[in-house]
Structures are given as C-alpha cells and as structure tokens.
Amino acid sequence: MQYTNLDTEKNILEGASNLFMQFGLKSVTMDDIASKVGVSKKTIYQFYKDKGEIIQNSLKKHFEEHKKTILSAVEGSDTALDAIFQISKCMKSQVESVNPVVMYDLQKYYPRAYHQVLEFKQKFMLELLKEILNKGIKEGLFRPEIDVQILAIVRIEQVQAAFNTSIFPRDKFDFFKVNIQMFDHFVHGIITEKGREKYNYYMNHEYKF
C-alpha cells in the first residue's frame, strides 16, 4: 500500500500523541517518534519544524476529539445531573490514558501549547458547565440561589486540583478516589432534595465510577 503525505503526517501525529500520553512530553525525543512511526527524522521535519509544533498539533487534535466526546455524552443525558455524571465519566476515561506528568511538562516546558488547556477550561468547559447548572436549576434539581459562574469555575478547578500531583501525589492518593470525593462534595453542595433523590438513584443504579 502506498501512503500519501496526508497519511504520513497523520501517522506521525498519532504516533507522537501515543508516546506523549504514555511517557510525558519532555522525555520523548524526535528519534523516539521516528522509531514509533517507522519513518526517518528527515521525514518528520518535512511536516513539523520541531517537537513543539508536534505537541501543539497533537493537543489541538486531542481537544477537538475530547470536546466531541463530551458534547455527545451531554446531549444524550436526560437531566442536568446526568450530564454532570457523564462529564465526570469522560474525565475518568481521559485520565486512564494519560500520564500525569503530561500536565506538568506542558506548564513548565511548553507554555504556548498549555494555552490550549486554558482555552479548553476557560471557554469550552466553563460555558458548558454554566449551561448545565442553569438547566439543573430549571429542572428543580439544583438550588436556585447558586451562582452558576462561581460554581462552574469551582468544578473546573476541582478537576485541575485532582490532576495536580504536588497536591495529591500518586504514591499517596488514588486519583479516582480523590475525584469521586470531590465530585460527591460538589454535587451535594448544589442539589435540592429532589436532586438528592435523583443523585442517590444514579449512584445506586446507573453509575459505577
């Protein structure tokens, strides 16, 4: 089979992404990527000027796919509370495939690429969570007096804190237990009695984190 330039570029990006998610960003070299994809470094440089550009493109593709997954899950939910559960499930799946050192490497060594993380949080996730919280208020599941702007930011920062290994070192804390505790704490801070009944039903019948 003869591969096109588009196929080669796609393979380079996918191979590099797999290495980044498994080993982090800093430790992966261009030689590693070339070996993973089965091409020469010269071929890689025909498409990308350096590793930084590969990281930026890899992250862009990652967030495009992640957004689609989250939106699909939210659109298929029956209530706002269900939507929050669905987002948490998406995050759990995400964490299972990503080495926690990736976020550290992004912040320290690739600030331009890290800007995409901030955009994902501050634009996409913030607006989506505000929309869900407002929906939950209308459904009578969330307390009407909550400030959706503040609580949406709180939830985003909770997830970010769970990722932060300087706060919750992986040798001392189980990531999923941390996330579940934060999720439970957040939900109980916003639900009405009707919401609590729905939450208990979901926990007992629908969801196993």
Side-chain angles (χ1 to χ4, degrees):
M1 179 182 294
Q2 186 172 5
Y3 290 99
T4 65
N5 283 346
L6 187 61
D7 290 328
T8 303
E9 184 177 4
K10 180 181 177 182
N11 289 339
I12 292 170
L13 200 59
E14 288 182 352
S17 296
N18 289 336
L19 289 173
F20 295 148
M21 294 302 145
Q22 186 175 359
F23 301 108
L25 307 178
K26 184 67 174 176
S27 64
V28 175
T29 66
M30 295 296 267
D31 284 318
D32 293 330
I33 297 171
S35 178
K36 173 75 173 179
V37 182
V39 298
S40 66
K41 282 200 297 183
K42 182 179 179 180
T43 298
I44 295 177
Y45 285 120
Q46 290 176 1
F47 299 98
Y48 301 102
K49 66 180 181 180
D50 54 28
K51 191 174 79 170
E53 188 174 24
I54 296 177
I55 290 171
Q56 285 188 288
N57 280 272
S58 175
L59 209 58
K60 180 181 178 182
K61 183 174 182 292
H62 168 78
F63 280 128
E64 286 173 352
E65 293 174 350
H66 196 34
K67 286 177 183 178
K68 289 178 182 177
T69 300
I70 289 175
L71 288 174
S72 177
V74 169
E75 287 168 5
S77 61
D78 62 350
T79 67
L81 188 53
D82 182 29
I84 291 181
F85 268 104
Q86 295 289 354
I87 290 174
S88 293
K89 285 178 68 178
C90 288
M91 294 306 298
K92 176 179 180 293
S93 176
Q94 175 76 11
V95 169
E96 287 176 336
S97 62
V98 179
N99 188 318
V101 78
V102 169
M103 196 64 66
Y104 173 82
D105 285 350
L106 273 173
Q107 289 180 272
K108 185 169 184 179
Y109 303 110
Y110 303 97
R112 288 184 61 190
Y114 183 67
H115 184 70
Q116 294 186 57
V117 177
L118 297 179
E119 282 197 338
F120 176 78
K121 285 172 48 182
Q122 297 169 358
K123 293 184 179 179
F124 173 74
M125 284 305 303
L126 180 61
E127 293 306 312
L128 180 61
L129 284 172
K130 284 165 60 179
E131 182 181 323
I132 291 170
L133 290 173
N134 278 319
K135 180 184 177 185
I137 291 173
K138 292 177 182 177
E139 293 172 339
L141 299 174
F142 301 157
R143 294 188 291 112
E145 69 271 22
I146 66 172
D147 186 310
V148 298
Q149 175 82 14
I150 293 174
L151 269 298
I153 293 172
V154 166
R155 181 57 188 149
I156 290 170
E157 293 307 314
Q158 275 187 334
V159 175
Q160 186 71 25
F163 269 105
N164 193 329
T165 54
S166 65
I167 300 175
F168 298 106
R170 293 296 170 88
D171 60 336
K172 295 182 179 179
F173 295 92
D174 178 87
F175 174 82
F176 298 115
K177 185 175 181 180
V178 171
N179 221 359
I180 291 168
Q181 287 291 307
M182 287 184 169
F183 178 79
D184 186 72
H185 181 271
F186 176 78
V187 171
H188 277 93
I190 65 173
I191 51 178
T192 60
E193 189 56 41
K194 177 182 175 182
R196 183 172 288 103
E197 291 176 5
K198 181 68 74 171
Y199 178 75
N200 290 335
Y201 174 81
Y202 284 145
M203 290 297 287
N204 291 327
H205 299 89
E206 301 287 337
Y207 295 103
K208 299 296 179 185
F209 284 102

